Amino acid sequence: EVQLVESGGGLVQPGGSLRLSCAASGFTLRSYAMSWVRQAPGKGLEWVSRINSGGDTMYAGSVKGRFTISRDNAKNTLYLQMSSLKPEDTAVYYCAKSPYSYMSDDYDSRGQGTQVTVSS
């Protein structure tokens, strides 16, 4: 059974940093494209970043240069390092698994999410 468990969210001041983790089980994380998506209050799901099986990465324009996606193959864990956080980054952050190894907007599993709140 595929499971994705996010952690690392919290309250942070503008300009601060957080690192989100997504522990994967039931599959080999490095074999699939993985994404981080977020949902702000009252808004729809927004794609944030993606890494494919080859390690190539992509970022939404709103986070490029501030967020870094990575994975630890030994721990089967996906990360999102977030820096220079802004109030508009406030959202529930989810990791999502693609059914494919290449970059894709398709997801077949998603975690329960972790809340990130950026506020002074």
Side-chain angles (χ1 to χ4, degrees), residues 96-114:
K97 174 187 170 294
S98 169
Y100 312 113
S101 61
Y102 51 84
M103 298 294 191
S104 168
D105 290 335
D106 294 325
Y107 309 122
D108 58 10
S109 294
R110 196 175 77 185
Q112 85 291 345
T114 185

Side-chain angles (χ1 to χ4, degrees), residues 9-110:
L11 173 63
V12 62
Q13 292 187 341
S17 299
L18 279 176
R19 188 177 81 157
L20 306 183
S21 300
C22 172
S25 60
F27 71 103
T28 301
L29 185 138
R30 68 176 183 269
S31 297
Y32 297 89
M34 296 293 298
S35 295
W36 286 97
V37 297
R38 66 187 181 186
Q39 187 164 26
K43 297 189 176 181
L45 212 57
E46 176 191 18
W47 170 72
V48 174
S49 182
R50 182 173 299 129
I51 184 168
N52 68 6
S53 62
D56 300 318
T57 59
M58 293 177 64
Y59 298 93
S62 58
V63 307
K64 197 169 187 178
R66 301 188 297 121
F67 290 11
T68 302
I69 190 171
S70 64
R71 65 181 182 229
D72 185 326
N73 294 335
K75 294 183 178 179
N76 218 40
T77 299
L78 181 74
Y79 300 101
L80 185 68
Q81 178 68 48
M82 306 185 295
S83 60
S84 302
L85 283 161
K86 305 175 181 180
E88 51 264 42
D89 294 318
T90 295
V92 178
Y93 284 72
Y94 303 90
C95 65
K97 174 187 170 294
S98 169
Y100 312 113
S101 61
Y102 51 84
M103 298 294 191
S104 168
D105 290 335
D106 294 325
Y107 309 122
D108 58 10
S109 294
R110 196 175 77 185

